[in-house]
Amino acid sequence: MYRLNRKGAVCGVLNDFDMSCYRGDIVNGLPPAYLRNTGTLPYLALDRSDLDTLHTASHFYCHDLESFFYVMFLFTSRHVLLDTPIKRASGPPQIYIVFPGAPFDEWYKGDDDYLDLLRKKRQLLMGDFDAETVSSSFSAFAPWLVSLHGLIRKGLQARAAREKEREDLLFYKKFWEEEYVESEHAEYLDDDDIPSADMVEERLEALDAEGFEQETLGGYVTCENFMPLPAEAGSLKMLVELS
């Protein structure tokens, strides 16, 4: 597309229609397009990797930092520096490549495999981080990536624990409202393990008052926590220069 400026000169107009939206979406209360149409699946945060909810799920600050982790992790795990740079017809020489047999090829198979990708991301985040996955060319990044992985995992675990506690409390609330007392569930409950109705209400009120800081996954996933140590900052500068 193009437009004419005041002097009559032709000026190109670059449009990103991935960031556009229908007028009806705005009327119906959907979030702005820039909060919904974000990213490529391998780099999307776990919460936003489910295509069924991608266009309605809220976008939080922690999602951007989680995406940053994927970019760093996948690049350093799949690339090696070349001993002899490859000259190009134009621009600077190519100094790194995806090495043969690089891990995580299945992450790039497209939208058809997004459910499998969702499972693999969950396994990566909730399991132990294998620093040896990082290629020898970028081994200096391994300690930092271990730290970033740990922060994201702690945040997800804290949120899951909060959700599990609330779910249990709601179960006991229904129990005391006699929805379960005469049901088949009652025989499996030990009276000593059942919190009193007052305790249940108090804890539910406390959870509501405390809330959970979703923006940073309980304060774990923040820019300050993600900052590299001085020794790692030099390696990060090198990576920026390479790209």
Side-chain angles (χ1 to χ4, degrees), residues 82-130:
L82 295 170
D83 293 331
T84 303
I86 301 174
K87 293 183 178 180
R88 301 177 181 178
S90 62
Q94 181 177 347
I95 58 178
Y96 57 83
I97 60 168
V98 176
F99 60 87
F104 307 107
D105 274 343
E106 67 277 10
W107 284 41
Y108 296 87
K109 288 183 178 179
D111 294 356
D112 292 340
D113 298 300
Y114 82 91
L115 288 177
D116 185 52
L117 176 57
L118 194 60
R119 286 189 292 269
K120 285 182 168 62
K121 281 187 178 180
R122 187 173 289 110
Q123 291 170 357
L124 172 68
L125 290 180
M126 303 313 293
D128 293 330
F129 185 84
D130 184 3

Side-chain angles (χ1 to χ4, degrees), residues 33-172:
Y34 70 88
L35 294 181
R36 296 182 282 119
N37 300 339
T38 57
T40 304
L41 281 175
Y43 309 109
L44 282 176
L46 186 62
D47 289 344
R48 300 184 57 77
S49 296
D50 188 342
L51 296 185
D52 292 334
T53 60
L54 174 60
H55 297 303
T56 56
S58 298
H59 183 95
F60 294 109
Y61 180 71
C62 61
H63 295 153
D64 292 332
L65 290 177
E66 186 181 334
S67 292
F68 172 79
F69 165 76
Y70 292 132
V71 171
M72 294 291 296
F73 172 65
L74 291 171
F75 183 90
T76 57
S77 298
R78 293 172 49 80
H79 293 78
V80 291
L81 294 174
L82 295 170
D83 293 331
T84 303
I86 301 174
K87 293 183 178 180
R88 301 177 181 178
S90 62
Q94 181 177 347
I95 58 178
Y96 57 83
I97 60 168
V98 176
F99 60 87
F104 307 107
D105 274 343
E106 67 277 10
W107 284 41
Y108 296 87
K109 288 183 178 179
D111 294 356
D112 292 340
D113 298 300
Y114 82 91
L115 288 177
D116 185 52
L117 176 57
L118 194 60
R119 286 189 292 269
K120 285 182 168 62
K121 281 187 178 180
R122 187 173 289 110
Q123 291 170 357
L124 172 68
L125 290 180
M126 303 313 293
D128 293 330
F129 185 84
D130 184 3
E132 294 184 2
T133 305
V134 178
S135 77
S136 57
S137 294
F138 301 102
S139 58
F141 286 90
W144 187 30
L145 290 168
V146 170
S147 174
L148 302 187
H149 173 272
L151 290 168
I152 296 171
R153 182 169 67 171
K154 288 178 181 178
L156 292 174
Q157 288 174 334
R159 185 180 66 183
R162 178 64 64 92
E163 292 172 349
K164 179 63 168 59
E165 181 181 8
R166 185 173 185 81
E167 180 182 325
D168 290 344
L169 289 169
L170 290 175
F171 172 85
Y172 289 122

